[in-house]
Amino acid sequence: MANLGAFFHRARDREPGPQIMAAAHGRVNLIGEHTDYHQGFVLPMPIPQRTIVTVRRRTDYLVRASSNAVVPGVSEYELGDEARGAGWIDYVQGVTYMLARTGRSVSGFDVTIESGVPPGAGVSSSAALTVALLRALRIMCRLEIGDLEIAQLAQKVETDFIGAPIGIMDQMSCSLGHPDEALFIDTRSLHYERITWPSRISVIVISSGVVHAHAGGEYGVRRRESFAAASLLGVRWLRDATTGMLAGTRLPDPLDRRARHVITENQRVLDAVEALRDRDAERLGELFNASHRSMRDDYETSTPEIDAMVEIAQADDDI
């Protein structure tokens, strides 16, 4: 971290003033996979790992950023000249771009980013970064932005600037989630409810080691397939489809399986919330297992590594 210390030492020489720190946790999604971009239900939960950003106001329009998650050095750009394609700093550029687009005035600043949220591990490293930075700039520039709007702006960083066609679950979880609580979200109304996690049920999060990205690959393919299925069922969002509609319409394979996953996954989230309220660990486990089978067989988003981990966990009587 010596390079980060030297970076702020230089910033201190140029512009005296307090440093402002803010943080956001990563998240794991308990159940509700690939439902948020169909305005469905999700049930994420924060993880202990978090991203911490430290900002200091500048007197010019320059933004200089350094991160412990990338090679040592400082990346920079000028406010108003944000342009996608510069690498990891695109997430910083996206934040200032969206603030300007929504009429918020931001000065130049220096920022260091210290992230304990592993990138590409499916635990929302990019959402943790953008939410943490928005929180810090809210303080530095005295912006009137609530936590829900921070989530909405962070989502637009990814959809409108980065170009990743994602839902809003990650950003809402990182902005609104509390440790030791699950966050039940209706992604259509954006209504959310914090549910205290039962102390007798342990959550164990294990990395599969498989790296993924939202901006391309199978994520984009599945999203397109699911919306094609919705169109054939006569709805805009699979949130509005039912198993009866699916049974009465002969969809081609694999669109029938894509639709079945989203439709049944939405119901599983509702059932999981009830099981959680009832502290019914056995029922919750059954729903988690059914969710995995659906992702593996109907949505085909699982991997051999994840399947093997699930099999090992299911064979362990202590889990």
Side-chain angles (χ1 to χ4, degrees):
M1 302 300 294
N3 64 309
L4 299 183
F7 173 47
F8 264 120
H9 179 74
R10 292 192 298 272
R12 188 163 51 246
D13 290 342
R14 287 194 309 272
E15 179 62 21
Q19 296 178 10
I20 295 169
M21 298 181 67
H25 288 268
R27 69 97 188 103
V28 62
N29 192 29
L30 301 171
I31 193 168
E33 295 291 341
H34 296 274
T35 55
D36 63 338
Y37 51 81
H38 276 284
Q39 298 193 351
F41 305 105
V42 292
L43 189 68
M45 185 178 189
I47 59 175
Q49 291 78 8
R50 59 182 186 160
T51 294
I52 303 171
V53 303
T54 307
V55 299
R56 185 192 298 278
R57 183 191 298 271
R58 297 176 59 91
T59 57
D60 54 20
Y61 296 103
L62 200 64
V63 174
R64 303 182 75 240
S66 180
S67 171
N68 71 333
V70 296
V71 295
V74 178
S75 297
E76 63 181 49
Y77 66 94
E78 196 163 290
L79 293 174
D81 288 338
E82 292 91 345
R84 189 178 71 183
W88 70 270
I89 200 175
D90 281 1
Y91 292 96
V92 178
Q93 292 193 89
V95 165
T96 57
Y97 172 83
M98 288 310 309
L99 287 172
R101 188 174 172 183
T102 55
R104 272 86 177 202
S105 176
V106 178
S107 68
F109 57 90
D110 294 320
V111 56
T112 60
I113 301 158
E114 298 182 60
S115 179
V117 185
V123 287
S124 300
S125 59
S126 60
L129 168 58
T130 52
V131 167
L133 182 55
L134 281 162
R135 284 174 169 172
L137 294 178
R138 173 172 63 182
I139 298 170
M140 187 188 83
C141 300
R142 300 180 181 179
L143 303 175
E144 294 185 4
I145 308 175
D147 290 338
L148 178 56
E149 190 174 4
I150 278 184
Q152 294 171 306
L153 285 169
Q155 182 201 20
K156 287 185 175 296
V157 169
E158 301 221 32
T159 58
D160 295 10
F161 190 82
I162 302 296
I166 62 168
I168 199 170
M169 174 186 66
D170 293 1
Q171 292 74 21
M172 285 189 68
S173 180
C174 292
S175 183
L176 299 162
H178 290 174
D180 301 319
E181 294 179 344
L183 189 69
F184 172 45
I185 304 171
D186 178 340
T187 65
R188 168 169 289 172
S189 67
L190 302 187
H191 172 78
Y192 61 92
E193 176 187 353
R194 297 187 179 95
I195 304 174
T196 301
W197 191 259
S199 58
R200 70 183 189 88
I201 305 177
S202 298
V203 177
I204 302 172
V205 181
I206 304 172
S207 173
S208 67
V210 178
V211 177
H212 85 293
H214 280 142
E218 290 301 308
Y219 179 91
V221 172
R222 291 297 176 274
R223 184 182 172 107
R224 290 191 295 273
E225 289 172 339
S226 67
F227 277 104
S231 179
L232 291 174
L233 289 172
V235 295
R236 184 176 180 185
W237 316 99
L238 287 175
R239 157 76 175 263
D240 299 314
T242 65
T243 53
M245 293 169 61
L246 189 59
T249 306
R250 183 172 296 180
L251 297 183
D253 186 69
L255 300 189
D256 57 343
R257 290 184 287 121
R258 307 304 188 237
R260 183 167 60 227
H261 166 74
V262 177
I263 294 168
T264 57
E265 185 78 346
N266 270 319
Q267 185 60 51
R268 280 188 290 269
V269 174
L270 298 177
D271 293 343
V273 169
E274 290 304 312
L276 193 55
R277 289 173 178 151
D278 294 339
R279 306 296 193 260
D280 189 341
E282 184 175 352
R283 177 60 175 152
L284 199 58
E286 291 171 352
L287 291 164
F288 287 172
N289 287 335
S291 176
H292 174 72
R293 288 193 298 270
S294 183
M295 286 189 289
R296 180 192 64 200
D297 301 334
D298 282 346
Y299 224 64
E300 296 182 285
T301 52
S302 188
T303 67
E305 294 87 352
I306 293 174
D307 293 342
M309 290 169 59
V310 170
E311 290 177 9
I312 292 168
Q314 290 172 338
D316 192 326
D317 292 335
D318 293 328
I319 297 180

